[in-house]
Amino acid sequence: MTIQQKIKDLRLELREHNYNYYVLDNATISDYEFDMKLKELQDLEEQHPEFYDSNSPTLRVGGEVTKNFNTVVHEHRMYSLDNSYSKEDLLDWEKRIKKLVDGDVFYTCELKYDGASISLTYENGNLLRAVTRGDGTQGDDVTTNIKTIKSVPLQLQGDFPPKFDIRGEIVLPFDGFNKMNEERLEAGEEPYRNPRNTASGSLKLQDSAEVAKRPLECLLYNITGRNLGFETQFESLERARQMGFKVPEAARLASSVDEVLEFISHWDVHRHDLPYETDGVVIKVNSLQQQEELGYTSKAPRWAMAYKFKAEQVSTRLNEITYQVGRTGAITPVANLEPVELAGTTVKRASLHNADQIEKLDIRERDEVFVEKGGEIIPKIIAVDLSKRPEDSKPTQYITHCPECQTELIRQEGDAKHYCPNYNGCNPQIVGRIQHYISRKAMDIEGLGGETVALLVNEGLISNYSDLYTLKKEDVLPLERMAEKSAENLIQGIAASKQIPFERVLFAIGIRYVGETVAKKLAKHYKNIDAIIEASVEDLIAVDEIGDRIAESVVEFFSSEENRMIVDEMKSYGLQLELSAEKLANQTDKLKGQSIVVSGVFETVSRTELKKMIEDNGGKVSSSISSKTNFLVAGDKMGPSKRTKAETLGVAIISESEFLSKLN
Ligand code: AMP
Ligand code: ZN
């Protein structure tokens, strides 16, 4: 078999597995086998760039960075939908329709997925472009990001119209959303509020590799174009499925408003069993001929109607307001409720967010409150039933002192939250900080878990993360449930963490607002911890993508003598507090401040390597050419439109070898 054939077969096979797994939810090989095959294809593609394919399954992992998303005018406008809330509304709508069209009217009933709308354009079965709804007339080109969503077919199967747009919704299923939030909490970051905003925010991330990590899905509901070869909405859904799109199976045909209402009442209850959020039902006139006759108003099709579910509410008693202290010292008030059933789960707590929220709604202990589960995962209190307020009730006095260490709380201007400033003496802050330090994305210390950290702190064995490196087996053996073997593993795990690279150590020490990405940027720019300690707010702000808030937080962190002492101790224990020699050797400032576009396929290095070289030398990889582009590195098979654009804008085009000699 030729290499070309092998590559072709692997792409086909991987496409098939992707489809089985992400569209049909029915995997036929193990993740491991899949990864091995993907790796094989990646290697072959690297060795044989002449067989490059912009829709290869290997592109699902992302990597391209977009600085500014191009605006694209929709060929077919993306309309909004009219809303209805009752049977009467629907009957009125039916009356209006029947005045405008002849013959019987059938309806397709679908679920209304709550995410971010997207329009995908396919030409000859290949995904050409993905554009957000924007203002309906024009949106942003987010193709690179969309390609990382595995349920979006890059190449269609079976029969398909030569050119069409298909519309759908990008959603983030609850499972994936919750997992993302667990990780954020672990990193000391505020959790995302709801799946919808997170989904739409994801589409505009600059780094497509970040998008690839998010468990997004694309659910399709509408094909537009000419000569499509089908006559009804219902049929079009079936056809879309056959082409390889993910089209939920819930859709039903209805021949009357009563049948539509049956569909609505069924899903009003069962939507809670779905893995993603829905906020209603969309009813569409089934015949495309009739749709055309009905046309559009200035904002919505006359042939479709949304029916919004009511957010579910219950009333229950608020027993007590308690306060939690996070690892950054942030205080979160929590409403402890009389347990109550809501939207299929038992609710015992609701977040009160902050003092303002409590004051605004005048929420008090022993109040009867209305709790709602809307888009947010954690239910919220939306109002107080004043008619049931006890006579002797008094307004809530927000705490003034930390519930854990009794230190007086502070609240900075512009900050909604109160903080406990007792950074080094407040137990949940100490424990939380060390738990963050050992967590997977930080130092990833094997053999040590969150509970053990709490034990170690409470037993007085450690009071900050550098103390971990002083622990001996004999110290930890007396701890509850600590066997000989686990004690050994723990000590070994701690010792092994001395090899963790600098950027992760920088993330692990838990400077507020310094997440993984910022830590990487700082490490790369300053190269060692001493340079960061010496940097002023102004210096820090001058670093690309570091804002005031981060800069101030870094300076504040290192202005603490205690923190600097901990860093010194860490140095003496042999932790990596500077970039390794190997990393440094490959890094220069040669391309500092330059914005560079890479296009085509290359001979001596792969695209990924080339991009890494640009970044290591201080340059920035951008995915589209603009007047700000310094130069374009052109490989083989570069698209003609890129070349034209570079030429019209006067952007220099250099070859792979010219680029490489620039660096040497
Ligand atoms: P609205 O934003 O409330 O005007 O509702 C219109 C939006 O609902 C559309 O832009 C779509 O993004 C979304 N939507 C979700 N599910 C569907 C569906 N099954 N059919 C049509 N639109 C839908
Ligand atoms: Zn405290």
Side-chain angles (χ1 to χ4, degrees), residues 93-94 97-98 101-110 231-235 252-260 282-291 294 302-305:
W93 177 54
E94 180 169 60
I97 289 175
K98 295 216 161 155
V101 298
D102 296 327
D104 291 339
V105 178
F106 290 87
Y107 304 96
T108 301
C109 305
E110 297 166 31
E231 262 132 52
T232 67
Q233 166 66 11
F234 198 75
E235 205 186 322
R252 288 287 173 274
L253 263 184
S255 59
S256 65
V257 166
D258 277 329
E259 281 182 30
V260 169
V282 183
I283 307 123
K284 298 173 185 167
V285 169
N286 194 40
S287 150
L288 299 189
Q289 167 70 38
Q290 288 180 336
Q291 286 191 4
L294 287 162
R302 289 198 187 85
W303 47 264
M305 182 61 85

Side-chain angles (χ1 to χ4, degrees), residues 63-78:
E64 260 196 68
V65 174
T66 315
K67 188 75 210 183
N68 292 305
F69 294 97
N70 287 331
T71 308
V72 176
V73 176
H74 294 296
E75 195 177 330
H76 308 272
R77 190 177 145 184
M78 287 179 87

